[in-house]
Structures are given as structure tokens and as C-alpha cells.
Amino acid sequence: MLVLAATPMGEIGDASQRLRDALGSADVVAAEDTRRTRSLAKALGVEITGKVVSFYDHVEAARLPGLLDDLAEGKTVLLVTDAGMPSVSDPGYRLVAAAVERDLPVTCLPGPSAVTTALALSGLPVERFCFDGFAPRKGGQRREWLRTLATEPRAAVFFEAPHRLADCLADAVTVLGPNRRAAVCRELTKTYEEIKRGTLAELAEWAVEGARGEITVVLEGAQPVSADPADLVGEVEDLVEKGMRLKDASAHVANANGTSRNDLYDAVLAARSAE
């Protein structure tokens, strides 16, 4: 069986008993960084008895055949990354997909994740959220990506490198406006954990002084903006021309644009009267 296991992000006490057991019993341990995994096992008082192989981005494809053969032979392969959950902006999903394709069993030992930890600490509405991995490195691509979040109603969570955080937040102010709320979560679960909450303008000003460590950003979802009914008259008339009843067309377009169906219906009648 392929076993994906979440590892502590910093606080060793977050390691589960299931992780300890898996490290000590797996036939093969595939690790993003073998040295860090051995250090983790030592800190947990666990002796790794299985074979340890590296499994990071640049060797992922080359390692797949051997690990799949191990699984096919009935061995237990434990996949761990440096911190957090495999496959979440870390190596893992290619191995999972290949195992699933060959109908080999896969399971997961849940545990620490910077995504859910930051969401919980953000103080923002996060009942619905999207995860976007790392923000684009280049300014133009980053601003284009931020534009996709301009009307995103869900909270957005993403990772950012500390030396790019100030530029990212400055771009966010430009694209999304200064008043959108966000939270910058730094060094989660570690000694110097810090959560900065505020508007994008406030956070951008704070970030200019520089931030260190691993950064997770939570961005408040966009507030719905009701469209002006007068601007939607054309859409309603297009649907009417295609055979839809005026009331039904008004309701359809109003629901899609967050406005009142009655106001839109009245706007269509007013536009017709003015012709």
C-alpha cells in the first residue's frame, strides 16, 4: 500500500502516532529530503528499518517505476515531504495518480497542513475557499493571476516566498484595491509564529520592512457586486428573441448577476417604452 503521511511543519509534537508507526514499519520510505526525514525520525525516537529513497521534484519521474514495482510486490511505501501534506505544493500527486491507474491501494495519514492552519487563524470567513499554491514569481504574471481573484467569492489561500511578499502585496493593492482584508501567516507552529491581519494596504506597508520564514497568505473573498439592471437589458432581450418568456429571461439574467429580477423586468419594460 502507498501511504501518504503529513509531517510536522515545525512543532515536533504535531507528529501523529500513526506517523511514528509508519516510519518504523514501512518497507520503503520515499522522502523529499532524506536527511530531514532521518532527523525527524530521530527526534521522534523512531528507527527507520526500511529502505529510504529520495523523492523530490527533479527525481520524481525517475523514481516512479521502482516505487510502483515495490507496491505491486505487496510492500508498504511511505511518502513524506519536508513539512505538511504530500501533493499539496509538494511531491506526491504523480505517484498517487500512477498507483491509482494500476489499481494499487493508496491511503493517507492526516495531519499538519499550512493551508488549513492559516485558514483557521486568519479571522476571515473561510467556509468556502480555494488554494492556489505559490503566487507567480514575475510581476506581470502575478498581476494577471490576482485579476482572476478580483471577483472570486471564496477566500483564497496561497504560499509566497518572504523576499517576494512585499511586491506581491503591493500588486494586490493595485489590482484588488487597498481595503480587501487578508492575513499573512508566518512560521506556522514554530517558535516565531506570527499572524498579521488587516487590509491589503496595511499589510503591504508592514511587509516593506521584510518578513522571514515560510509565508502563507489568506485573502478575503470578493464581496458580491450587484449589476445595474439597465446594463442587463440587452441580455434579457437576447433570451426573449430565442423564445424565452420575458419574466423567465429576467429571472435568469438577474440571478446570474446578483440583481433584483423585478427591477430588471421593470428596466426592460422601460427600455421598450423609450424606443
Side-chain angles (χ1 to χ4, degrees):
M1 178 177 288
L2 173 61
V3 180
L4 312 177
T7 54
M9 295 182 290
E11 172 53 59
I12 196 69
D14 290 338
S16 68
Q17 185 59 51
R18 296 179 70 193
L19 172 63
R20 291 175 165 86
D21 294 342
L23 282 168
S25 63
D27 300 300
V28 180
V29 177
E32 184 179 12
D33 185 324
T34 57
R35 290 171 299 181
R36 291 187 65 168
T37 298
R38 291 187 186 279
S39 295
L40 172 64
K42 183 177 180 180
L44 294 174
V46 174
E47 180 183 358
I48 298 177
T49 58
K51 179 175 65 174
V52 179
V53 299
S54 59
F55 193 78
Y56 55 93
D57 291 338
H58 296 302
V59 301
E60 200 170 355
R63 288 277 189 262
L64 287 181
L67 293 174
L68 291 171
D69 288 344
D70 288 333
L71 290 169
E73 293 171 7
K75 295 179 180 178
T76 296
V77 175
L78 175 67
L79 175 62
V80 292
T81 56
D82 290 350
M85 181 63 71
S87 294
V88 182
S89 286
D90 276 330
Y93 87 89
R94 291 183 179 86
L95 180 56
V96 173
V100 170
E101 185 176 355
R102 291 181 57 167
D103 201 27
L104 297 167
V106 182
T107 192
C108 180
L109 309 185
S113 168
V115 174
T116 51
T117 303
L119 287 166
L121 289 171
S122 69
L124 298 170
V126 294
E127 292 85 357
R128 300 173 63 237
F129 69 90
C130 59
F131 172 60
D132 259 7
F134 276 89
R137 296 184 178 187
K138 297 183 178 179
Q141 294 175 349
R142 184 169 56 238
R143 288 186 289 274
E144 186 62 31
W145 162 70
L146 285 166
R147 290 187 188 98
T148 68
L149 300 177
T151 58
E152 172 56 67
R154 297 170 295 177
V157 56
F158 60 91
F159 299 148
E160 183 55 288
H163 62 279
R164 290 194 295 269
L165 179 63
D167 289 341
C168 180
L169 291 174
D171 283 343
V173 170
T174 300
V175 175
L176 303 176
N179 297 322
R180 189 95 160 249
R181 293 187 300 165
V184 176
C185 306
R186 188 179 73 85
E187 294 289 85
L188 288 171
T189 79
K190 300 175 184 176
T191 302
Y192 298 104
E193 176 180 285
E194 181 180 23
I195 315 297
K196 295 293 290 186
R197 306 175 182 89
T199 64
L200 285 174
E202 291 167 342
L203 293 172
E205 183 178 357
W206 163 78
V208 169
E209 298 180 4
R212 296 182 180 181
E214 297 184 352
I215 304 290
T216 305
V217 179
V218 182
L219 178 68
E220 181 182 37
Q223 298 299 315
V225 178
S226 297
D228 185 342
D231 296 333
L232 302 174
V233 168
E235 292 185 38
V236 175
E237 293 290 19
D238 288 342
L239 293 177
V240 170
E241 287 183 12
K242 294 176 182 178
M244 188 177 289
R245 293 173 61 240
L246 176 56
K247 286 188 176 181
D248 293 337
S250 298
H252 177 82
V253 174
N255 289 337
N257 291 275
T259 192
S260 164
R261 65 181 68 188
N262 292 331
D263 289 348
L264 181 53
Y265 181 82
D266 291 342
V268 174
L269 295 181
R272 289 179 176 181
S273 298
E275 293 178 354

